[in-house]
C-alpha cells in the first residue's frame, strides 16, 4: 500500500458522510411512516406542570396527547425522574418518537453562575465557556436535552430588563461571547450526555425595542441590522448552534415569528442553517395581537411559511395546521421540512437509541454535588466583578481589620444572589448559596468582629433603620454597604423607565458618609444603574451585578485582595436616562463637541455632559499597568495583507493582576459615516508585579470591512486610526496606517 495515510483519511471522510446519510435515511424512513397528525405533533411544545423559568399553563389532556404522538417537546420538566416519566409516555405512542426536554438554563442549573451580562464583564472567553459547560453537564444529567440560551441580542438601552441576559452593547465582544457560550453548552458534539443543544435567541432585533420596553416594536435600517445585530447570531451559528429562537417583537412592521426574510431568506437560505427554529413563548399566537394575523389559524399559516418550525405553547400549529394542509394553503412539504429538522436533532442526541440516556438519577446526583462546579462558579464570579472606583485605595481590605460593619438590604439574603433567570429547583434548599454575609464570615479571622444592620429595604421609603445603621457604622473601622435593585427588577418583562438606585438606598449612603468612616459601596444589579451622587461622592464602588451561588465568597475574595478585580464594563453607564440609548461606538456627527463645555451649535445637551458616567470597557485593578512600544509591521497595507500590531504592557504596581488590552479602530473617511471608534480585538493578560509582556494583534481585511449603502460588505482604501486602551475612553496609545487600493 503506497499511500496508507491518504487512504485512512479517505476512509474517515467516507465514514462521516455515511453516518450523516444514515441519520438522514432514518429521518426519511420515519417520516414516511408518519401521519399528518403525527408530523404536526412534532412541531408542538408544551410546558410541564411546574413553573420554573416562565409562565405556567395547565393542560389536563397532556399525558394522553403525548401517548397519541401529538407533542414533540416539553419545557420546564426538571429532574431525571420526571423527564423519564414523560418519556415513558412517549414510548407508548405508535411510532415511539422520543420527546425533547428544553429549559432556560441561562446561567446555571443548580450551580448558578453570574448573570450573563456580569460574565460578559469578565471579558474572559475561557471562563464564559466553562460556565456554560458546567451548566450543560448539570442540566444534561438531570434529563434536559436543550437550553434556551445563549441570548445574543445586542442591548444598548439599560431600561430594557433583558440586558442582564446578554453580553452588552458591542457587536464584536458579543459575537465572541456568543461563540464561547454555544461551545460551552454543546461541548464536543451533540449526543454527548454531558452536553445540551444551544439555542441562539432572539432572532432578531429584540434588544433594540423602542423605549427599552419589553416586547415593543423595533425599527432599524438594513445596514444596522447586518452590521450590528446579526453578527452575534452568525457567530453562534458558526459555533454549531443546534437551534434558533425567533423573537416577540416586530421588525420594521413584520413580527419576527412570521418573518420570512429573517428565517428563510437569511437563516436557512444565505446562512444554510440546518437546525430548527422554535418560537418564543406563545409568539405565534401573539401575531394576532400585533394585528398581523386575523386569528391563530392565519398566524399558523404565516409562521410555518416564514420558517418557524416549532410552536412553543401557543397551540396555533396543534389545532390549525392539518386543516390548512387539507385546504391547500400550506404545502405538506413545509411540514415535512420542519419535522425533519426536529427529528434529525433527536437522532443526533441519540434519543432513538436510548430515550432515557439523559435521565440518569445516579449521574444527576453526582453532577449536582460536584465540588469542581462550585469552584468554577466562585472563579467566574470573581472575574465578573468590576471595580468602578478606588480613589483612596480603601481596597483591598486587610484581614487584620478589627471591626467591619456590613450594612444594607442585600447582605444576608441568599436566593437573590442568583439574579433573574435562575432555575428554581423545588427539591433543593438554598443552603448551598453563599450569602454576602457568609462570604465575609468565611474570609475574616476570629480577631475580626463583624457587625450588621439592614438599614433599609430595596424599594421601601421607610428610613427607620437609618439610625441603627449609623450606630453600627460608628463602631466599625470600615463599612461595607451592599445596595442595588432587587434581583427580580431586571430580566424579562422588567423594563424600568428610571434606572436609579430604588427606594431610599442612596439616602442611606448619604447618612453613612457623614460618619466619616471609610466606606465600600457594593452595587448589585442586572443592568447599568444611575447613581450619580454615590458615583461623585463615594471613593470606593464595586459593581457586583448578581453573581450566583458563590456570590458571597467571590465578593469576599475581591474585597480582601485574594482575587485582584479584572472586570471591564460591557455596557456604557449613563449619567441619566435622558442620554439613553448611549453607547461608545456612536456615529461621527457634522458638529461634534470639542469638549464637555462646548455646547453652542454642536451635538450636545445644554444641561448635561455628553460623556457617560462610566465608559464601555472601564474597570480598575489593585495594580497599575503601563502601555508602551506600540509597533505596526507596516505603515501601508494592501487588502490581502495582514497588519501585525504589537504593544508592551507592564504591571507597574505591587501585586499581580489581569488587564484587558482593548484595540479600537476608526475609519477616517468612508462612503458611509463610520463610528468614532470600534472594538476590533482584545486580549486579557495576567502579569506579576513588575512583569512586562509584549502582545500582538492581527488586523486583516475583514476587520476593516463594513456594510455599504447597498449592503455589500468590504473594505475601502483610506487612512485608519489605531487606538489601544484600557477602556473606550482611557486611551493609552495611538497609531495610524493606510489601506491601499
Amino acid at each position: 500500500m503506497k499511500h496508507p495515510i491518504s487512504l485512512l483519511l479517505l476512509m474517515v471522510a467516507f465514514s462521516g458522510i455515511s453516518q450523516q446519510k444514515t441519520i438522514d435515511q432514518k429521518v426519511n424512513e420515519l417520516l414516511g411512516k408518519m401521519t399528518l397528525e403525527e408530523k404536526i405533533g412534532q412541531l408542538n411544545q408544551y410546558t410541564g406542570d411546574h413553573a420554573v423559568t416562565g409562565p405556567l399553563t395547565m393542560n389536563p389532556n397532556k399525558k394522553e396527547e403525548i401517548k397519541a404522538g401529538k407533542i414533540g417537546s416539553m419545557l420546564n420538566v426538571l429532574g431525571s425522574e420526571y423527564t423519564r416519566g414523560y418519556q415513558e409516555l412517549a414510548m407508548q405512542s405508535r411510532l415511539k418518537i422520543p420527546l425533547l426536554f428544553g429549559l432556560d438554563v441561562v446561567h446555571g442549573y443548580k450551580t448558578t453562575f453570574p448573570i450573563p451580562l456580569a460574565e460578559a464583564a469578565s471579558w474572559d472567553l475561557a471562563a464564559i465557556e466553562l460556565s456554560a459547560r458546567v451548566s450543560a453537564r448539570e442540566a444534561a444529567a438531570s434529563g434536559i436535552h436543550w437550553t434556551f440560551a445563549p441570548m445574543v441580542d445586542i442591548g444598548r438601552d439599560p431600561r430594557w430588563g433583558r440586558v442582564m441576559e446578554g453580553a452588552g452593547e458591542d457587536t464584536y465582544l458579543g459575537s465572541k461571547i456568543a461563540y464561547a457560550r454555544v461551545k460551552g453548552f454543546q461541548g464536543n458534539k451533540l449526543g454527548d450526555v454531558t452536553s445540551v443543544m444551544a439555542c441562539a435567541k432572539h432572532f432578531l432585533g429584540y434588544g433594540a425595542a423602542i423605549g427599552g420596553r419589553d416586547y415593543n416594536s423595533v425599527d432599524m435600517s438594513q445596514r444596522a441590522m447586518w452590521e450590528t445585530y446579526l453578527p452575534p447570531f452568525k457567530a453562534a451559528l458558526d459555533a454549531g448552534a443546534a437551534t434558533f429562537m425567533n423573537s416577540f417583537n416586530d421588525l420594521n412592521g413584520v413580527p419576527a415569528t412570521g418573518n420570512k426574510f429573517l428565517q428563510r431568506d437569511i437563516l436557512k437560505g444565505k446562512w444554510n442553517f440546518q437546525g430548527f427554529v422554535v418560537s418564543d413563548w406563545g409568539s405565534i399566537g401573539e401575531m394576532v395581537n400585533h394585528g398581523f394575523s386575523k386569528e391563530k389559524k392565519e398566524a399558523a399559516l404565516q409562521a410555518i411559511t416564514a420558517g418557524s418550525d416549532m410552536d412553543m405553547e401557543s397551540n396555533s400549529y396543534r389545532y390549525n395546521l392539518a386543516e390548512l394542509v387539507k385546504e391547500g394553503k400550506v404545502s405538506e412539504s413545509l411540514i415535512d421540512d420542519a419535522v425533519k429538522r426536529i427529528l434529525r436533532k433527536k437522532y443526533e442526541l441519540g434519543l432513538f437509541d436510548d430515550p432515557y440516556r439523559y435521565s440518569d438519577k445516579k449521574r444527576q446526583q453526582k453532577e449536582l454535588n460536584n465540588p469542581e462546579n462550585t469552584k468554577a462558579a466562585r472563579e467566574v464570579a470573581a472575574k465578573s466583578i468590576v471595580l468602578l472606583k478606588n480613589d483612596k485605595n480603601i481596597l483591598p481590605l486587610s484581614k487584620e481589620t478589627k471591626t467591619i460593619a456590613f450594612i444594607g438590604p442585600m447582605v444576608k439574603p441568599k436566593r437573590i444572589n442568583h439574579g433573574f433567570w435562575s432555575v428554581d429547583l423545588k427539591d433543593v434548599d438554598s443552603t448551598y448559596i453563599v450569602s454576602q454575609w457568609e462570604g465575609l464570615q468565611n474570609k475574616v479571622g476570629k480577631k475580626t468582629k463583624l457587625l450588621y444592620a439592614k438599614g433599609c429595604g430595596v424599594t421601601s421609603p421607610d428610613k427607620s433603620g437609618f439610625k441603627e445603621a449609623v450606630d453600627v457604622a460608628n463602631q466599625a473601622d470600615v463599612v461595607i454597604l451592599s445596595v442595588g435593585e432587587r434581583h427580580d427588577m431586571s430580566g424579562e418583562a422588567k423594563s424600568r423607565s428610571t434606572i436609579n438606585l430604588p427606594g431610599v438606598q442612596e439616602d442611606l449612603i448619604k447618612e453613612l458618609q457623614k460618619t466619616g468612616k471609610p466606606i465600600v459601596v457594593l452595587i448589585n444589579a442586572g443592568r447599568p444603574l444611575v447613581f450619580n451622587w454615590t458615583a461623585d461622592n463615594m471613593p470606593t464602588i464595586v459593581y457586583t451585578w448578581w453573581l450566583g451561588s458563590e456570590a458571597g465568597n467571590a465578593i469576599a475574595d475581591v474585597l480582601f485582595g485574594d482575587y485582584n478585580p479584572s472586570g471591564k464594563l460591557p455596557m456604557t453607564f449613563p449619567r441619566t436616562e435622558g442620554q439613553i440609548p448611549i453607547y461608545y461606538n456612536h456615529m461621527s456627527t457634522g458638529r461634534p463637541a470639542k469638549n464637555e463645555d462646548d455646547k453652542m451649535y454642536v451635538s450636545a445637551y445644554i444641561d448635561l455632559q455628553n460623556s457617560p458616567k462610566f465608559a464601555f470597557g472601564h474597570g480598575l485593578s489593585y495594580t497599575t499597568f503601563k502601555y508602551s512600544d506600540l509597533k505596526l509591521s507596516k505603515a501601508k497595507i494592501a487588502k490581502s495583507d495582514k497588519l501585525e500590531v504589537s504593544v508592551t504592557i507592564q504591571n507597574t504596581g505591587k501585586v499581580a493582576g489581569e488587564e484587558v488590552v482593548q484595540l479600537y479602530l476608526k475609519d477616517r473617511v468612508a462612503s458611509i459615516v463610520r463610528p468614532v471608534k470600534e472594538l476590533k480585538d482584545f486580549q486579557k493578560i495576567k502579569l506579576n508585579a513588575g512583569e512586562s509582556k509584549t502582545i500582538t494583534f492581527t488586523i486583516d481585511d475583514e476587520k476593516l470591512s463594513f456594510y455599504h449603502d447597498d449592503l455589500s460588505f468590504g473594505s475601502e482604501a483610506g487612512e485608519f486610526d489605531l487606538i489601544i486602551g484600557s477602556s473606550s475612553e482611557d486611551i493609552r496609545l495611538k497609531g495610524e496606517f493606510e489601506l491601499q487600493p
Side-chain angles (χ1 to χ4, degrees):
M1 188 178 294
K2 295 182 178 179
H3 305 288
I5 296 178
S6 299
L7 183 59
L8 179 61
L9 290 173
L10 193 62
M11 291 172 64
V12 169
F14 275 117
S15 174
I17 295 171
S18 175
Q19 186 178 10
Q20 182 59 46
K21 284 185 178 179
T22 299
I23 289 178
D24 288 342
Q25 286 173 351
K26 288 179 179 179
V27 168
N28 289 327
E29 288 171 6
L30 179 56
L31 190 71
K33 299 174 183 178
M34 298 172 72
T35 65
L36 179 59
E37 283 289 336
E38 287 169 330
K39 291 177 183 178
I40 293 170
Q42 289 300 301
L43 311 186
N44 293 307
Q45 184 179 65
Y46 285 2
T47 185
D49 295 329
H50 302 283
V52 182
T53 57
L56 176 64
T57 55
M58 301 302 293
N59 176 4
N61 301 317
K62 189 179 304 177
K63 293 183 179 180
E64 293 305 314
E65 291 187 358
I66 292 172
K67 289 191 281 187
K70 295 180 179 180
I71 299 176
S73 176
M74 296 186 72
L75 73 159
N76 291 349
V77 180
L78 296 188
S80 58
E81 182 180 348
Y82 288 104
T83 53
R84 177 178 285 271
Y86 277 113
Q87 201 69 284
E88 287 172 349
L89 296 175
M91 291 303 102
Q92 297 177 45
S93 64
R94 184 178 76 90
L95 294 174
K96 296 178 172 51
I97 300 175
L99 292 167
L100 276 177
F101 294 107
L103 184 69
D104 286 289
V105 184
V106 174
H107 56 109
Y109 185 71
K110 178 194 172 187
T111 304
T112 305
F113 287 81
I115 59 169
L117 186 61
E119 287 189 348
S122 75
W123 292 57
D124 191 320
L125 301 178
I128 291 169
E129 184 173 338
L130 173 63
S131 166
R133 186 87 287 276
V134 172
S135 302
R137 287 203 308 263
E138 290 190 354
S142 303
I144 303 302
H145 310 133
W146 178 22
T147 175
F148 305 124
M151 189 192 90
V152 301
D153 298 306
I154 295 299
R156 293 178 164 179
D157 191 332
R159 294 173 299 180
W160 186 50
R162 296 194 81 165
V163 295
M164 59 75 58
E165 199 178 341
E169 71 185 47
D170 185 68
T171 301
Y172 182 84
L173 178 62
S175 297
K176 291 292 185 182
I177 290 174
Y179 191 96
R181 285 193 169 130
V182 170
K183 285 296 185 183
F185 284 130
Q186 296 192 171
N188 294 325
K189 64 174 183 177
L190 295 184
D192 185 326
V193 292
T194 67
S195 298
V196 294
M197 292 196 301
C199 183
K201 64 181 187 184
H202 305 83
F203 200 66
L204 179 78
Y206 196 20
I210 294 172
R213 200 170 75 239
D214 216 345
Y215 317 118
N216 205 9
S217 296
V218 172
D219 188 6
M220 69 171 62
S221 69
Q222 286 283 308
R223 191 163 65 86
M225 185 185 79
W226 283 100
E227 192 160 274
T228 302
Y229 293 91
L230 276 171
F233 287 94
K234 183 58 165 61
L237 186 148
D238 290 342
T243 67
F244 270 54
M245 180 185 290
N246 54 44
S247 185
F248 288 117
N249 57 277
D250 73 88
L251 179 65
N252 301 332
V254 180
T257 308
N259 198 311
K260 178 180 176 293
F261 173 63
L262 290 177
Q263 295 173 104
R264 292 220 183 269
D265 295 352
I266 296 177
L267 182 60
K268 295 179 177 179
K270 182 179 180 67
W271 289 357
N272 194 32
F273 175 60
Q274 296 299 304
F276 68 87
V277 178
V278 62
S279 78
D280 209 333
W281 187 288
S283 67
I284 295 178
E286 289 173 13
M287 290 198 293
V288 176
N289 295 340
H290 278 284
F292 189 72
S293 313
K294 185 177 181 181
E295 75 288 295
K296 282 191 175 182
K297 183 177 179 181
E298 185 177 18
L301 167 63
Q302 293 166 324
I304 195 71
T305 302
S308 187
D309 301 307
M310 183 179 286
D311 178 2
M312 182 192 289
E313 275 293 316
S314 86
N315 288 308
S316 299
Y317 285 179
R318 167 79 179 85
Y319 297 114
N320 296 292
L321 277 185
E323 187 176 354
L324 287 166
V325 171
K326 291 171 185 176
E327 292 173 352
K329 294 179 180 178
V330 170
S331 169
E332 193 165 350
S333 63
L334 286 182
I335 309 292
D336 289 350
D337 177 66
V339 174
K340 283 181 180 180
R341 291 171 178 271
I342 294 165
L343 291 179
R344 189 178 295 119
K345 295 307 171 189
K346 292 184 177 184
Y347 273 109
E348 289 175 4
L349 288 168
L351 295 177
F352 282 96
D353 296 326
D354 179 4
Y356 311 112
R357 64 197 306 262
Y358 290 83
S359 302
D360 187 322
K361 195 171 184 178
K362 288 183 179 179
R363 189 168 73 244
Q364 173 182 293
Q365 184 70 15
K366 180 180 179 181
E367 193 59 60
L368 296 192
N369 293 283
N370 186 345
E372 290 300 312
N373 297 351
T374 303
K375 180 182 177 183
R378 183 170 181 167
E379 291 175 355
V380 176
K383 289 175 179 287
S384 302
I385 293 172
V386 181
L387 180 61
L388 293 181
K389 289 185 69 178
N390 195 24
D391 291 352
K392 296 182 179 179
N393 293 319
I394 295 173
L395 293 179
L397 300 176
S398 168
K399 293 175 186 175
E400 302 301 316
T401 305
K402 292 182 179 180
T403 307
I404 298 174
F406 206 176
I407 298 171
M410 311 299 189
V411 174
K412 288 197 172 181
K414 284 179 171 284
R415 284 199 180 274
I416 64 166
N417 293 291
H418 273 182
F420 201 81
W421 282 122
S422 60
V423 179
D424 186 10
L425 300 177
K426 303 294 184 183
D427 56 345
V428 177
D429 63 32
S430 62
T431 57
Y432 71 100
I433 305 172
V434 182
S435 71
Q436 297 176 24
W437 176 259
E438 290 169 334
L440 210 64
Q441 283 183 315
N442 295 337
K443 182 64 62 176
V444 300
K446 294 181 180 179
K447 294 181 180 179
T448 300
K449 184 178 181 180
L450 296 181
L451 304 176
Y452 165 74
K454 183 177 180 180
C456 65
V458 177
T459 56
S460 171
D462 184 9
K463 297 184 180 181
S464 60
F466 281 21
K467 183 180 183 304
E468 180 191 10
V470 170
D471 289 344
V472 166
N474 279 324
Q475 301 174 49
D477 297 308
V478 65
V479 177
I480 304 172
L481 178 58
S482 188
V483 297
E485 63 176 3
R486 279 199 324 266
H487 72 288
D488 60 354
M489 291 178 74
S490 57
E492 185 174 352
K494 307 299 179 185
S495 299
R496 293 180 62 191
S497 63
T498 57
I499 53 174
N500 59 305
L501 281 171
V504 295
Q505 293 180 93
E506 201 152 41
D507 290 334
L508 175 62
I509 298 172
K510 293 176 182 178
E511 288 301 309
L512 291 173
Q513 191 231 23
K514 294 175 184 177
T515 66
K517 297 290 184 177
I519 299 175
V520 177
V521 180
L522 310 180
I523 298 181
N524 307 264
R527 54 157 62 84
L529 294 179
V530 171
F531 44 95
N532 287 319
W533 189 93
T534 300
D536 291 339
N537 293 278
M538 303 308 290
T540 308
I541 304 173
V542 183
Y543 220 78
T544 58
W545 314 96
W546 293 113
L547 294 173
S549 306
E550 286 292 302
N553 284 331
I555 290 171
D557 287 341
V558 167
L559 291 179
F560 289 90
D562 289 329
Y563 181 81
N564 188 348
S566 62
K568 301 280 188 176
L569 296 179
M571 285 189 75
T572 301
F573 278 44
R575 295 177 181 274
T576 180
E577 293 83 5
Q579 286 182 305
I580 297 171
I582 183 171
Y583 44 93
Y584 83 92
N585 54 343
H586 57 85
M587 294 297 180
S588 303
T589 176
R591 293 191 176 187
K594 298 181 182 68
N595 51 55
E596 295 285 24
D597 297 322
D598 185 15
K599 298 182 182 295
M600 292 297 292
Y601 299 102
V602 296
S603 182
Y605 300 103
I606 63 172
D607 58 348
L608 186 70
Q609 294 171 290
N610 277 1
S611 63
K613 199 65 182 180
F614 295 103
F616 173 83
H618 171 74
L620 304 177
S621 170
Y622 296 150
T623 189
T624 53
F625 298 96
K626 178 184 177 182
Y627 288 54
S628 63
D629 298 327
L630 176 64
K631 296 178 181 177
L632 283 67
S633 60
K634 298 178 181 179
K636 298 181 179 181
I637 60 170
K639 291 189 176 185
S640 58
D641 290 339
K642 290 185 178 181
L643 177 65
E644 300 295 325
V645 178
S646 65
V647 59
T648 299
I649 313 297
Q650 182 183 10
N651 181 341
T652 52
K654 297 179 180 180
V655 295
E658 295 169 281
E659 172 71 334
V660 179
V661 184
Q662 302 160 41
L663 183 149
Y664 298 87
L665 293 178
K666 174 178 172 56
D667 192 343
R668 290 181 183 172
V669 179
S671 59
I672 290 289
V673 174
R674 304 301 300 139
V676 292
K677 65 174 75 76
E678 296 177 276
L679 181 71
K680 288 298 182 179
D681 211 340
F682 64 90
Q683 288 189 39
K684 188 169 189 176
I685 60 171
K686 185 173 183 178
L687 297 172
N688 293 320
E691 183 182 3
S692 295
K693 184 177 181 180
T694 298
I695 60 175
T696 302
F697 297 101
T698 301
I699 297 174
D700 57 17
D701 190 61
E702 184 175 359
K703 289 182 178 178
L704 304 178
S705 296
F706 59 93
Y707 284 92
H708 302 93
D709 196 40
D710 62 359
L711 298 183
S712 61
F713 183 74
S715 62
E716 292 180 351
E719 297 174 329
F720 290 80
D721 291 324
L722 186 141
I723 305 161
I724 305 285
S726 185
S727 82
S728 60
E729 286 195 347
D730 184 5
I731 305 305
R732 305 294 183 87
L733 299 169
K734 289 185 177 182
E736 59 185 43
F737 63 93
E738 182 180 343
L739 178 64
Q740 296 180 312

